[in-house]
Amino acid sequence: MFGGQVVPPSNSPHLRKSDGEQGNTEMEGLLHSTETNDLKIPSLPISTAAIMPSPILLWRFKVLLFFLWGFFCCKIGWDSVMRMSVNLRDLFLYEAFLYYNPLLLVTMMVWLWGVNLWVFAQSTISYAKIFDLDQNHLTHREIWKVATWMTIIVPISMTAYLYLYSHGEVSLAASQPVFLYCAVALILIFPFDIFYLSSRYYLLRTLWRIVFPLQAITFSDFFLADILTSMSKVFSDLERSVCRMVHRQVATIAWFEADSVCGSHSIGIPIILVLPYIFRLFQCLRQYKDTKEKTALFNALKYSTAVPVIFLSALKYHVLPDSWTNFYRPLWLLSGVLNSLYSFYWDVTRDWDLSCFTRIFKFNKPSLCSHLLHGRKWVYFWVIGSNFILRLAWTYKLSAHLRHNYLTVFTITALEMIRRFQWVFFRVENEWTKMSSKSNLQLSEISSEEDKLLAPSNHNV
């Protein structure tokens, strides 16, 4: 009527085709659609999965880049050091080592913690339940990713520091460790939902609970506090580094005066060294207040034995040489042996459960690591023997009067972190065994109560 095309309904009885005609039409439509699809196939984009390299190839390429980067950093750093005079070289290396060895040791600890989480993930131990973690907690892959970036950034800053100082750019060289320390602090406290906000908040909250034990002590609280005692030398070097940054002594030799505010005779060194042990001591006292268990008091006594080791060593710079040799040094040696033996005894008899040794290495799936470690007697001897030796060597690190041997102290600190790394396996396994025993005991009590309720009564009516 209005000039438009009239389209009748397809179900009209007047326009309905016969069965034969309808079948022919459907066949023609099918052939037409097939031809259309054939024409369209060349215009489709190639699948991205087909052009992506294999994960193994990508991994090899990343490893190659990592080694090339390490080679260039070592080459530039070595050439920069060789440009300096012999007299200045040792002092400068000592200063550069002070600024960067704490972060290098922290990076090492993050790598080792990732290995711990990997082993926990392979075994039957639910570490998320032990540490009361939510479903967004970091896995070993994210931990290793963080460690990778730390491994890249810290040496780059150190290489830039060496290069700029050796080429006369002293002010730019001095800014390198300052920028690095500020960046690490900002990332830790960054309030926005990036860089694993929930995990950073969990870490900062646990650190707050360690410093101020005003609440019941959880497993994650004293577990992290124990790790901090192994990193007391790291915190001492951090304090020395920040002190020199605040007093603008970076890339200078003004700090080399031992009696200066940032010198090696400062009272701040033993104070920072002892703080992790004091925090752990207060945790034990708080635990005794809540549970009334005498074991907590004996544990507190263990941490108190580290205090005389630290302060007797620091007295060397504040007493006469004869007094140190004849009186204070024997006391320091005696307190060091007592602390080492007491700590070793506590590790083996309290923190670990020898009845279930190496069970943590029983993985869900067969692997070479599980085959080498699970149920092997040599693991007993290695862990106990290395723990004993490194406990004795740890006294060297706690001694402020020996810190001038910085390479030796660095090595012992790294070995202490390895000792703590293997300690983690058996401490977490022991806690998981206790939690499982409590759960089984509760289930047995519930089942016994149900049996009593369901038991037939023999009352006479």
Side-chain angles (χ1 to χ4, degrees):
M1 180 183 300
F2 297 99
Q5 183 179 4
V6 178
V7 180
S10 60
N11 59 353
S12 174
H14 302 286
L15 299 177
R16 187 176 297 153
K17 295 182 180 180
S18 63
D19 295 338
E21 293 175 347
Q22 187 174 358
N24 295 335
T25 305
E26 292 176 356
M27 183 61 68
E28 291 174 0
L30 179 62
L31 292 174
H32 178 71
S33 62
T34 303
E35 293 174 357
T36 305
N37 290 337
D38 292 338
L39 293 175
K40 289 182 178 180
I41 285 176
S43 62
L44 289 175
I46 301 176
S47 175
T48 56
I51 62 175
M52 285 294 292
S54 64
I56 297 178
L57 182 61
L58 282 177
W59 184 81
R60 291 176 178 175
F61 182 68
K62 291 178 182 179
V63 171
L64 178 61
L65 288 180
F66 185 80
F67 278 107
L68 288 176
W69 160 84
F71 172 77
F72 283 118
C73 284
C74 293
K75 182 70 168 58
I76 295 173
W78 178 261
D79 292 342
S80 301
V81 171
M82 290 298 104
R83 287 174 57 95
M84 303 178 188
S85 62
V86 178
N87 297 330
L88 183 63
R89 189 179 300 165
D90 291 338
L91 298 178
F92 178 74
L93 285 178
Y94 178 77
E95 185 193 16
F97 187 80
L98 173 70
Y99 299 140
Y100 290 100
N101 93 89
L103 296 181
L104 291 175
L105 290 171
V106 171
T107 303
M108 173 185 171
M109 199 65 186
V110 175
W111 276 110
L112 294 177
W113 176 242
V115 177
N116 288 132
L117 294 186
W118 177 80
V119 173
F120 297 152
Q122 304 301 316
S123 64
T124 57
I125 293 179
S126 176
Y127 67 90
K129 186 177 180 180
I130 294 175
F131 293 103
D132 193 21
L133 302 175
D134 57 16
Q135 59 182 359
N136 296 323
H137 68 273
L138 298 184
T139 64
H140 61 277
R141 297 183 184 277
E142 285 86 12
I143 294 295
W144 284 340
K145 186 182 296 184
V146 173
T148 301
W149 281 109
M150 294 174 66
T151 307
I152 294 173
I153 293 174
V154 176
I156 285 178
S157 177
M158 186 174 181
T159 304
Y161 179 78
L162 296 173
Y163 178 83
L164 292 172
Y165 188 89
S166 64
H167 287 75
E169 301 291 341
V170 179
S171 59
L172 290 178
S175 65
Q176 299 304 310
V178 177
F179 288 156
L180 181 61
Y181 277 59
C182 292
V184 171
L186 289 176
I187 289 174
L188 280 177
I189 65 175
F190 204 60
F192 300 104
D193 193 8
I194 56 176
F195 303 127
Y196 309 114
L197 175 62
S198 60
S199 298
R200 288 187 287 112
Y201 173 74
Y202 179 86
L203 174 62
L204 294 176
R205 183 186 62 182
T206 307
L207 290 175
W208 179 267
R209 292 164 61 93
I210 291 173
V211 177
F212 302 101
L214 305 177
Q215 66 291 314
I217 306 301
T218 63
F219 178 77
S220 58
D221 293 340
F222 67 76
F223 180 85
L224 181 58
D226 274 330
I227 294 178
L228 295 184
T229 59
S230 295
M231 302 177 66
S232 56
K233 174 63 169 56
V234 173
F235 299 131
S236 176
D237 287 344
L238 285 175
E239 185 272 336
R240 295 290 85 194
S241 301
V242 174
C243 177
R244 293 168 187 175
M245 293 176 189
V246 171
H247 291 84
R248 297 185 179 182
Q249 296 180 359
V250 181
T252 66
I253 59 173
W255 55 266
F256 196 67
E257 298 178 3
D259 296 326
S260 65
V261 65
C262 300
S264 58
H265 297 179
S266 173
I267 192 61
I269 295 176
I271 291 177
I272 298 300
L273 283 173
V274 82
L275 278 181
Y277 297 91
I278 297 298
F279 295 151
R280 193 67 184 92
L281 172 64
F282 287 156
Q283 282 186 336
C284 295
L285 296 178
R286 172 69 196 210
Q287 193 173 12
Y288 174 75
K289 177 180 179 296
D290 296 335
T291 63
K292 303 301 180 183
E293 295 180 357
K294 293 184 178 180
T295 307
L297 291 179
F298 290 112
N299 199 14
L301 180 62
K302 181 192 73 172
Y303 292 103
S304 66
T305 58
V307 177
V309 179
I310 296 172
F311 282 100
L312 285 174
S313 173
L315 282 177
K316 179 182 178 181
Y317 301 122
H318 305 282
V319 297
L320 297 175
D322 292 338
S323 300
W324 165 255
T325 304
N326 299 325
F327 182 72
Y328 292 106
R329 184 178 180 182
L331 285 180
W332 166 71
L333 291 174
L334 179 62
S335 60
V337 172
L338 177 63
N339 172 258
S340 300
L341 294 179
Y342 197 168
S343 301
F344 170 75
Y345 167 79
W346 198 271
D347 286 340
V348 176
T349 60
R350 299 291 182 176
D351 288 345
W352 299 343
D353 184 5
L354 295 180
S355 63
C356 59
F357 238 33
T358 73
R359 191 175 66 183
I360 193 172
F361 298 114
K362 185 179 181 180
F363 293 171
N364 296 323
K365 297 180 180 179
S367 67
L368 180 61
C369 180
S370 179
H371 175 72
L372 293 176
L373 299 177
H374 174 61
R376 304 294 182 180
K377 290 184 178 180
W378 68 268
V379 177
Y380 285 88
F381 300 107
W382 167 258
V383 173
I384 295 176
S386 62
N387 190 76
F388 176 74
I389 295 174
L390 294 178
R391 276 294 189 185
L392 292 175
W394 190 229
T395 304
Y396 190 97
K397 180 218 63 86
L398 293 178
S399 305
H401 73 281
L402 300 174
R403 64 186 296 117
H404 59 279
N405 301 323
Y406 58 96
L407 291 179
T408 304
V409 174
F410 176 83
T411 304
I412 293 178
T413 306
L415 291 175
E416 166 62 16
M417 291 186 176
I418 295 175
R419 186 200 67 82
R420 184 64 67 178
F421 157 73
Q422 64 185 18
W423 173 91
V424 166
F425 289 121
F426 307 109
R427 184 64 187 91
V428 172
E429 181 186 35
N430 190 18
E431 185 66 20
W432 177 249
T433 302
K434 293 179 181 178
M435 294 177 63
S436 302
S437 301
K438 290 181 181 178
S439 300
N440 295 333
L441 181 61
Q442 292 175 356
L443 291 176
S444 63
E445 291 177 352
I446 293 174
S447 61
S448 62
E449 291 178 359
E450 291 178 351
D451 293 340
K452 291 180 181 179
L453 293 174
L454 297 176
S457 60
N458 296 325
H459 298 292
N460 295 324
V461 180

